[in-house]
Structure formats: C-alpha cells, structure tokens
Amino acid sequence: MDARSRNHVTVTGRSGGPVVMLAHGFGCDQNMWRLVVPALERDFTVVLFDHVGAGGSDLTAWSRRRYSTLDGYADDVLELCRELALGPVTFVGHSVSAMMGVLAAAREPEAFAGLVLLAPSPCFIDDPEAGYRGGFSAEDIDELLESLEANYLGWSGAMAPVIMGNPDRPELGEELTNSFCRTDPEIARLFARVTFLSDNRTDLAKVGVPTLVAQCSSDAIAPPEVGAFVHAQIPGSRLVTLNATGHCPQLAAPEETAAAIAAFAGASQ
C-alpha cells in the first residue's frame, strides 16, 4: 500500500507554495488542525495526515512490532516525504509527534526545511539526577498507564480535559475526549506507552535543520522547563512562548498558533 493511502493524506492550499506538514498527537487525527489550516493554505501547500491507527488511516497497516517505538512513526513521515515529492517540508509536530519529527530530521535532514515542535516533550518523566524536569514522576506515569489500560474510555473522559486545559471552555475538553474515544483501545494503549515512556533527550542534539520550539504559557503536560530544555539542546533553535494555555493550542488559540507556524515556515524557505 502506498503511504498516501495508508496515512489518509490530504493536500490543500497554494500549489507550488512552501510545504507545511502537520502531524497530530496522541489520541487525535488531522481534524485537530482544522482551525489552523485556513490561515496557512493561503500561502503554503499544507499536508495533513493521520498516524497509522488514527482517524482515516488504514488500520490493517498497524502492527505492534512497527509501532512499538517512535521510530516506526518517523519511518512513516520519511516515506510520506519521499512519496509526495513536494520538496523539503516544514514539519509541524504536536506533542509526541514533535519527537517523531526530531528522529526523522536527524536521519534525513535534506527532507526538511525546518521543524516546528509544538508543545514538545522529549521525556515526560522527571530525572532528578540529571536535573531534568519532565513534569511527571515514574510513579505518576505508571499510574496513568495502569488506569488507561484498565478502563480506556473512563481514562479518556478524566484525562482529556486535563490535557486540553482551558476549563472555562469545556467544549474543547469534550472534543478531545471524543477524539480519544474514537481510537481503537488496543492501539491507544500501545501508543500511550510509546508516548509516555519514550526518552528522546539525546536525540535533540542531532537535529541540524532550523527549528522553532513553541510552548504554551501554561501546560499541565509539558511545563515551561521542558520547552526550555528542548531549545537548549537543539543547536540554533528558537523558542517562543505562546499566550495559549493547555496542551492543544491549535484548538485553543488557532490564530496565534497559525501565525507562529507561518512566520517560521516562511522564513525557513
């Protein structure tokens, strides 16, 4: 099967324009970018896709072996870049997809004009000996994964509003909950383990393409120290703190998020 079909690729925007590829995070699909796309497609060719196991992707392409690490997802990103043959892309990775972009760009830098790491985290677990704060203790993550594996739908209803933040806008948390609940539980359980147990801190220094680290001003999943760490580890990267709060600025503050992506992607070409 070709990568375009496997990953349910959508290409929109200005033909021949600089290419922006948008990659969604855990429990989501390309629909999570719908509020950002209109502002980008005026000036850019916009590539949207679903990770295998999410949205409209081909579920028969999912295998526990391939997707038991982030490398399998990074392989998919590189296959998409080669198959679409649109030239170097600015890859925008939200949350766990940020590290997929890091791995892909370290492996084949020529495929990328730049990276936008939106609310990234190279490691969610604190490492006190190294002076690293990821936001969670190992015990926190163990409890989170145990709860998810025991009752995925219940976990989704409880965690999605926390991840989304913005308690004064409950419709955002409800949308994320519904997105989580559309994901096959078996796939979600493995993807959650990959997301929350991966440690990509040493991969950051391997990135050699222009990089924007975009963190939110308040984020229960990726605190400001994480964004600062990513920025410090990637040579020549830029760090911007959005006014947006929560872990999903593409929904909570789409205009601000689109403007940050556009300004960086335009300058990276």
Side-chain angles (χ1 to χ4, degrees), residues 3-239:
R4 182 187 289 259
S5 299
R6 180 191 64 204
N7 290 95
H8 190 225
V9 171
T10 303
V11 179
T12 184
R14 182 163 73 86
S15 178
V19 183
V20 173
M21 177 181 284
L22 305 176
H24 64 82
F26 169 82
C28 303
D29 59 28
Q30 63 185 265
N31 188 54
M32 299 297 280
W33 295 107
R34 70 186 185 282
L35 301 180
V36 168
V37 169
L40 295 177
E41 61 186 358
R42 294 192 295 266
D43 299 309
F44 300 93
T45 297
V46 180
V47 177
L48 298 146
F49 69 98
D50 296 329
H51 292 306
V52 172
S57 68
D58 185 350
L59 296 185
T60 66
W62 186 84
S63 73
R64 180 173 293 273
R65 180 177 180 181
R66 181 177 177 91
Y67 297 107
S68 62
T69 71
L70 291 181
D71 289 307
Y73 294 96
D75 288 342
D76 285 356
V77 169
L78 292 172
E79 286 180 21
L80 285 171
C81 289
R82 288 192 290 267
E83 188 172 297
L84 293 171
L86 293 171
V89 307
T90 296
F91 179 89
V92 183
H94 173 234
S95 192
V96 65
S97 284
M99 293 306 111
M100 298 173 195
V102 164
L103 292 172
R107 200 180 308 163
E108 295 186 22
E110 65 278 3
F112 300 91
L115 297 178
V116 177
L117 309 181
L118 184 62
S121 178
C123 180
F124 286 96
I125 299 174
D126 297 336
D127 184 355
E129 290 187 5
Y132 174 79
R133 180 176 180 238
F136 300 86
S137 68
E139 292 75 19
D140 290 336
I141 295 298
D142 286 343
E143 290 178 9
L144 181 152
L145 293 173
E146 288 173 7
S147 174
L148 183 151
E149 290 174 5
N151 181 1
Y152 177 62
L153 294 181
W155 178 88
S156 298
M159 279 299 296
V162 175
I163 294 170
M164 178 59 71
N166 295 276
D168 57 327
R169 300 165 67 189
E171 69 279 5
L172 296 179
E174 183 177 346
E175 176 170 346
L176 191 59
T177 299
N178 292 337
S179 179
F180 281 8
C181 291
R182 287 194 298 270
T183 306
D184 178 273
E186 179 186 1
I187 293 173
R189 290 185 186 107
L190 182 63
F191 195 16
R193 298 193 72 83
V194 174
T195 296
F196 291 108
L197 295 178
S198 292
D199 185 349
N200 297 103
R201 285 177 290 172
T202 60
D203 294 304
L204 299 173
K206 302 172 187 175
V207 175
V209 302
T211 301
L212 174 68
V213 181
Q215 65 181 16
C216 294
S217 59
S218 174
D219 184 344
I221 303 301
E225 294 93 331
V226 175
F229 177 86
V230 174
H231 168 51
Q233 295 298 309
I234 297 180
S237 64
R238 290 174 46 206
L239 174 66

